[in-house]
Amino acid sequence: MSLLSKIFNGIPPKYSGTDGIKFGRFSEPAETEELYNLRISADELFDQGKYLDSYIIYFNYLQELGGPAVLLDIDSSTGDLTFKLLQGSKIVSGVISDLEVRAQSVVAKFSKVDITLLRFLLGKNCDLAYSKFSISGDSIIINQLCPIKDMSPEAFSDMLSEIAIASDGLDEMIEAEFPNIIPVDYENTIALPKNEVKTKIDFLRLWISQMISTTENLENETLKTYVILSCIFKILYLISPEGLLLSYFRRILSMYSGNEENDYLRAEINYKMNEKLNEIGEKSDSELEKSLFKTYTVFPETEYQKFSEMAEDINSLLQLPVNCIKQRQKKLIVPICEYIVGIHLYQHGMPEAAKELLMLFFRSLNSDFFTSLGFDNSLYDDTTSQFLKGRIIQEIENINRKYSVIYPQFSFDFSELDFSSKEDFAYTFLFEFKNLQITD
């Protein structure tokens, strides 16, 4: 039986999604008062020299955050703490004694030593602050060993997060790029239903194809960049790839720095991004399916952003669709607005009220995708090219009632939404969204 089966024991895993469908990645939630108190208590005990006690409190904090995928055993004779946790397809394990802290994750195994791989891992060590890649027998591991007095719970959290995320993010990549690699821990992934896989593969290809068609004759390289990024973030959040496919998309994103100073350089980067996206779209179903699965994640990969900061970002980005109008490129308003939504959903944790509204935005503009996934409450009629206004307003009213209990001034003003076209709806939705009163 896999560790996943033992941990869950019938308890479904936590993952981003609606009705069991996986969207996005695990983002940092807002810290509750209970979590804050646990974290502060752990730090105070450590400062008092009560190291093991501080770590027990820290694991209480971690179990509140990560649920049943965080296991902790206490040796009754020595008092040593033994832990295991899941991060994606990987297991991070270790021992904490009154003298030292040990943690490691097995990234993969190999049948034969490859000098190129060893050089690659040495180079990757430069990216790590708290741990290192090394070889143990026939295994590639990422680990850390440190005296407990030099490793506070706060530093331990950073180190554990680094090990977990680096290990989970590297395994499929080295498996694809280096010979003689033997994968490990894949029994801890959860297969998606066949319909979800098929739908996500079909729409991944469709959205890439639509984006390439939209940008093919677009001369404004700045707007072209945003349309390309819109496609990427939409796929990363709604299709939610893992493994090697996720690595491919992240590499494409890394081509764009945001500091391109001239159109020539921007045009070159746009061409390269489109080229790589087209290669992804041409991959076989079996290749794409390998990267579509669920995992249990303990450590968030993105930081929480306060709504006030998020609203300020969106307010400044809304100049982009305005520029589309000025340049007579109204057809670009929807992908530009989807870029604004996609980058925030993918890169940041946010209040649940904000997330529900942004998912409503995506559902309204991509009804065909959500209907294919099995959502029975369509929000747009493709045959008449009209929004189902009553359903959208009803969902907004439900959200208003739900979250006005938490935020007394919370109210999304749907009276200002323009349902006459997808372009008008997308812009007016975000314009009203930024005015929400969410205090976090």
Side-chain angles (χ1 to χ4, degrees):
M1 181 181 290
S2 71
L3 175 60
L4 186 68
S5 301
K6 293 176 182 177
I7 287 175
F8 293 145
N9 193 25
I11 301 173
K14 295 179 182 177
Y15 52 85
S16 300
T18 301
D19 297 331
I21 296 174
K22 181 178 185 290
F23 299 121
R25 310 190 67 70
F26 180 35
S27 300
E28 183 179 17
E31 188 175 54
T32 64
E33 184 177 356
E34 181 182 8
L35 286 172
Y36 173 80
N37 289 335
L38 285 171
R39 182 168 57 82
I40 295 302
S41 295
D43 289 339
E44 289 175 348
L45 286 169
F46 186 85
D47 291 340
Q48 295 167 17
K50 300 177 181 178
Y51 302 133
L52 287 177
D53 289 341
S54 74
Y55 270 91
I56 291 173
I57 296 297
Y58 168 75
F59 272 95
N60 287 337
Y61 170 90
L62 203 58
Q63 286 172 329
E64 286 293 323
L65 188 67
V70 181
L71 299 180
L72 179 69
D73 289 324
I74 304 175
D75 190 300
S76 58
S77 59
T78 65
D80 290 355
L81 312 180
T82 302
F83 65 87
K84 285 187 179 181
L85 59 87
L86 288 178
Q87 180 78 14
S89 63
K90 288 290 164 279
I91 299 170
V92 183
S93 61
V95 177
I96 303 166
S97 70
D98 57 357
L99 295 177
E100 63 184 19
V101 176
R102 285 179 284 160
Q104 75 167 38
S105 177
V106 179
V107 179
K109 293 181 180 293
F110 53 85
S111 58
K112 183 180 178 182
V113 175
D114 185 328
I115 298 300
T116 306
L117 172 62
L118 297 182
R119 288 174 178 166
F120 171 80
L121 294 174
L122 281 173
K124 281 293 179 181
N125 276 337
C126 297
D127 299 331
L128 302 175
Y130 299 95
S131 56
K132 63 180 179 180
F133 289 102
S134 59
I135 301 297
S136 177
D138 63 349
S139 298
I140 301 166
I141 65 172
I142 176 172
N143 65 341
Q144 174 60 283
L145 171 64
C146 181
I148 193 169
K149 64 182 179 62
D150 297 328
M151 180 69 73
S152 68
E154 182 179 5
F156 176 76
S157 180
D158 291 338
M159 178 267 289
L160 207 58
S161 174
E162 179 178 86
I163 289 177
I165 293 172
S167 178
D168 183 45
L170 193 67
D171 52 354
E172 290 92 347
M173 186 178 75
I174 62 173
E175 180 186 346
E177 294 192 5
F178 295 97
N180 308 315
I181 292 294
I182 304 168
V184 297
D185 294 339
Y186 276 98
E187 69 272 16
N188 292 321
T189 62
I190 309 165
L192 301 181
K194 290 183 178 179
N195 178 66
E196 183 176 344
V197 171
K198 182 180 186 307
T199 296
K200 288 188 170 183
I201 289 175
D202 289 346
F203 277 86
L204 178 147
R205 291 201 180 102
L206 175 64
W207 291 338
I208 290 175
S209 175
Q210 289 175 340
M211 180 276 297
I212 291 175
S213 176
T214 299
T215 58
E216 191 171 17
N217 297 313
L218 183 60
E219 295 181 357
N220 187 306
E221 294 297 337
T222 299
L223 289 178
K224 184 183 290 187
T225 297
Y226 284 115
V227 175
I228 296 170
L229 294 176
S230 173
C231 176
I232 294 172
F233 286 119
K234 184 175 178 177
I235 289 173
L236 284 173
Y237 192 78
L238 295 181
I239 305 299
S240 190
E242 299 282 352
L244 193 56
L245 189 54
L246 175 61
S247 178
Y248 289 152
F249 276 104
R250 285 175 169 169
R251 286 189 202 175
I252 296 171
L253 279 178
S254 70
M255 296 177 183
Y256 171 72
S257 68
N259 298 317
E260 287 73 18
E261 296 180 356
N262 56 66
D263 280 350
Y264 177 80
L265 179 59
R266 189 180 290 272
E268 184 179 5
I269 292 172
N270 287 341
Y271 176 81
K272 289 179 179 178
M273 288 196 292
N274 266 353
E275 186 179 43
K276 293 300 181 183
L277 285 168
N278 193 51
E279 289 177 8
I280 290 175
E282 292 178 347
K283 291 183 180 297
S284 67
D285 286 3
S286 59
E287 286 181 283
L288 296 174
E289 186 175 353
K290 290 178 182 178
S291 295
L292 295 176
F293 52 81
K294 295 175 187 173
T295 62
Y296 199 105
T297 303
V298 174
F299 289 102
E301 297 184 28
T302 57
E303 293 183 353
Y304 184 84
Q305 183 181 44
K306 288 186 176 182
F307 185 78
S308 59
E309 297 173 358
M310 181 182 178
E312 186 177 346
D313 286 347
I314 290 177
N315 186 52
S316 63
L317 287 170
L318 280 175
Q319 185 60 43
L320 293 172
V322 172
N323 291 342
C324 291
I325 296 294
K326 291 178 178 178
Q327 298 184 29
R328 299 181 181 180
Q329 294 285 355
K330 188 176 180 180
K331 67 177 182 177
L332 302 182
I333 289 177
V334 171
I336 294 295
C337 287
E338 288 190 331
Y339 160 78
I340 296 171
V341 171
I343 192 172
H344 282 88
L345 281 172
Y346 177 72
Q347 290 191 340
H348 299 289
M350 65 183 67
E352 286 300 316
K355 185 181 293 185
E356 284 193 33
L357 282 167
L358 293 186
M359 279 300 293
L360 179 62
F361 171 94
F362 264 144
R363 286 174 52 212
S364 300
L365 293 170
N366 300 274
S367 187
D368 51 350
F369 170 70
F370 287 93
T371 300
S372 296
L373 282 176
F375 284 65
D376 55 8
N377 193 22
S378 177
L379 303 177
Y380 187 85
D381 189 335
D382 287 303
T383 59
T384 62
S385 299
Q386 291 184 336
F387 288 100
L388 299 176
K389 182 177 176 180
R391 292 183 181 179
I392 295 173
I393 290 175
Q394 183 179 21
E395 293 217 19
I396 293 174
E397 287 179 329
N398 291 339
I399 293 171
N400 282 343
R401 280 194 296 270
K402 179 179 178 181
Y403 289 102
S404 61
V405 177
I406 303 172
Y407 312 108
Q409 304 300 317
F410 182 90
S411 179
F412 186 97
D413 186 3
F414 53 81
S415 67
E416 297 298 321
L417 291 181
D418 188 340
F419 291 92
S420 57
S421 69
K422 285 190 172 183
E423 290 81 8
D424 292 318
F425 174 84
Y427 179 80
T428 55
F429 190 101
L430 291 183
F431 190 87
E432 293 307 316
F433 177 84
K434 70 178 177 58
N435 294 326
L436 284 171
Q437 298 299 310
I438 299 178
T439 52
D440 53 343

